[in-house]
């Protein structure tokens, strides 16, 4: 018995020891869970910072949310709507008549609405964040509809009170605010190359190109100031939808004139050059 107990006792542990071992093994995962939870809270600030950085990169180069601060684009856009603006689209195509664009009015247009200055650096920081993510309006950002592009002759009004572009009348009923006239101000402007003539859909309250004819560019804005094209309403959900170009801007006569402008200009420049060359050839003979 003694030899057997010594022989097998060396290989086996008492029952109490086995219970202790099991207890230790069941407690170890609990400790591991605490470590995982602790590491999660340690990593959370890093995740938040990375998410903010990625969001700012997307906002800077791809898509940005904008807050609508005024009634100048009613009823297409209502005050407090949020829209998404595509910042890449104009790297692949030109700005078109009928586009709804967001642009900067820095050193150009006066503000349509006044914002109170932040009372302290913390408030200034939160305003910056809110502007970046479309929660609050930008101080010098505007949203309007493109009526004329560089080289267009934009005029108000024809015998029926309609705005014309290159002599082609626009039918604006689909987007003009109910009861508004196309314009209560008369104008006749040749849009400079590289500029845009823009107007709000609520013409009675919109301080658009018409109200800035005394500014450089005669009220038109530089294309370089355009941030991007507003293409969808994302808030409130009940108004979610796309912002398409109205059919009136697809009139064949309007498009033909716009597309013919570079050709006509090139032809006009080519004729004198050909005549000068012929004279030189004749003198050489």
């Amino acid at each position: 018995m003694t030899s057997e107990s010594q022989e097998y006792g060396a290989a086996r542990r008492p029952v109490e020891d086995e219970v202790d071992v099991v207890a230790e093994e069941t407690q170890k995962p609990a400790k591991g869970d605490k470590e995982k939870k602790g590491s999660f809270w340690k990593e959370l600030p890093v995740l938040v910072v990375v998410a903010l950085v990625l969001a700012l990169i997307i906002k800077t180069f791809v898509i940005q949310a904008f807050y609508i601060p005024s009634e100048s684009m009613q009823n297409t856009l209502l005050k407090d709507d949020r829209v998404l603006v595509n910042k890449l689209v104009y790297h692949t195509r030109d700005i078109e008549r009928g586009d709804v664009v967001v642009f900067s009015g820095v050193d150009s247009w006066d503000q349509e609405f006044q914002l109170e200055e932040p009372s302290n650096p913390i408030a200034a920081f939160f305003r910056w964040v809110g502007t970046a993510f479309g929660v609050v309006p930008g101080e010098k950002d505007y949203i309007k509809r493109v009526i004329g592009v560089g080289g267009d002759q934009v005029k108000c009004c024809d015998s029926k009170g309609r705005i014309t572009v290159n002599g082609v009348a626009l039918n604006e009923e689909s987007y003009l605010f109910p009861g508004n006239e196309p314009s209560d101000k008369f104008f006749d402007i040749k849009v400079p190359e590289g500029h845009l003539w823009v107007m709000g859909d609520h013409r009675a309250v919109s301080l658009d190109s018409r109200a800035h004819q005394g500014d450089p560019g005669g009220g038109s804005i530089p294309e370089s100031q355009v941030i991007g094209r507003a293409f969808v309403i994302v808030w409130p959900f009940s108004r979610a939808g796309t912002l398409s170009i109205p059919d009136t801007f697809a009139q064949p006569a309007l498009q033909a004139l716009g597309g013919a402008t570079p050709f006509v200009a090139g032809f006009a420049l080519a004729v004198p050059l050909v005549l000068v060359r012929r004279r030189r050839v004749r003198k050489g003979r």
Side-chain angles (χ1 to χ4, degrees), residues 3 14 22 41 50 54 93 96 108 114 121 125 158 177 179 182-183 197 222-223 226 230 244-245 251 253 260:
S3 60
V22 172
W41 290 111
V50 171
L54 291 175
R93 72 164 174 85
E96 296 180 3
S108 162
Q114 299 296 323
F125 170 76
D158 66 3
F177 186 80
S183 179
W197 183 267
E223 290 185 0
V226 173
S244 56
I245 298 177
Q251 295 181 75

Side-chain angles (χ1 to χ4, degrees), residues 35-273:
E35 291 178 354
K36 289 180 180 179
K37 289 179 180 179
S39 64
F40 170 77
W41 290 111
K42 290 178 182 178
E43 294 174 358
L44 183 60
V46 177
L47 294 174
V48 171
V49 171
V50 171
L52 284 173
V53 170
L54 291 175
L56 287 174
I57 291 174
I58 294 172
K59 169 252 178 187
T60 302
F61 300 105
V62 186
I63 290 177
Q64 183 175 354
F66 277 88
Y67 171 98
I68 307 303
S70 72
E71 298 85 3
S72 69
M73 282 295 292
Q74 286 181 309
N75 278 334
T76 304
L77 297 172
L78 303 183
K79 185 178 179 181
D80 298 331
D81 280 356
R82 270 72 165 180
V83 298
L84 292 184
V85 172
N86 186 334
K87 292 187 168 186
L88 293 178
V89 63
Y90 296 134
H91 293 287
T92 59
R93 72 164 174 85
D94 294 334
I95 300 173
E96 296 180 3
R97 307 177 192 91
D99 279 348
V100 175
V101 296
V102 171
F103 59 94
S104 172
V106 173
D107 301 326
S108 162
W109 288 16
D110 293 329
Q111 293 175 246
E112 288 183 322
F113 56 95
Q114 299 296 323
L115 292 175
E116 293 183 5
E117 291 296 323
S119 57
N120 54 66
I122 296 176
F125 170 76
F126 281 108
R127 173 184 284 186
W128 176 82
V129 173
T131 301
F133 293 98
V135 179
V136 298
E139 296 182 15
K140 281 284 189 175
D141 294 334
Y142 297 85
I143 185 164
K144 304 292 181 190
R145 188 180 300 279
V146 177
I147 302 298
V149 297
D152 283 346
Q153 190 78 30
V154 186
K155 182 178 179 180
C156 178
C157 291
D158 66 3
S159 59
K160 296 182 179 180
R162 300 171 299 183
I163 290 176
T164 63
V165 179
N166 300 325
V168 179
L170 299 179
N171 181 357
E172 302 187 280
E173 292 182 3
S174 65
Y175 58 86
L176 200 63
F177 186 80
N180 276 191
E181 297 294 330
S183 179
D184 57 0
K185 296 179 181 179
F186 291 94
F187 56 87
D188 189 353
I189 185 171
K190 179 84 169 181
V191 183
E193 292 295 337
H195 285 65
L196 306 168
W197 183 267
V198 296
M199 301 176 73
D201 290 352
H202 194 174
R203 302 285 163 78
V205 301
S206 179
L207 299 177
D208 47 41
S209 287
R210 299 167 298 165
H212 295 273
Q213 294 184 66
D215 295 344
S220 62
I221 63 164
E223 290 185 0
S224 59
Q225 293 290 81
V226 173
I227 296 170
R229 175 178 180 253
F231 67 98
V232 65
I233 302 171
V234 293
W235 182 264
F237 292 134
S238 59
R239 287 181 38 75
T242 57
L243 298 170
S244 56
I245 298 177
D247 292 339
T248 190
F249 293 99
Q251 295 181 75
L254 184 62
Q255 300 303 319
L257 285 170
T261 300
F263 175 77
V264 172
F267 184 78
L269 291 173
V271 170
L273 292 175

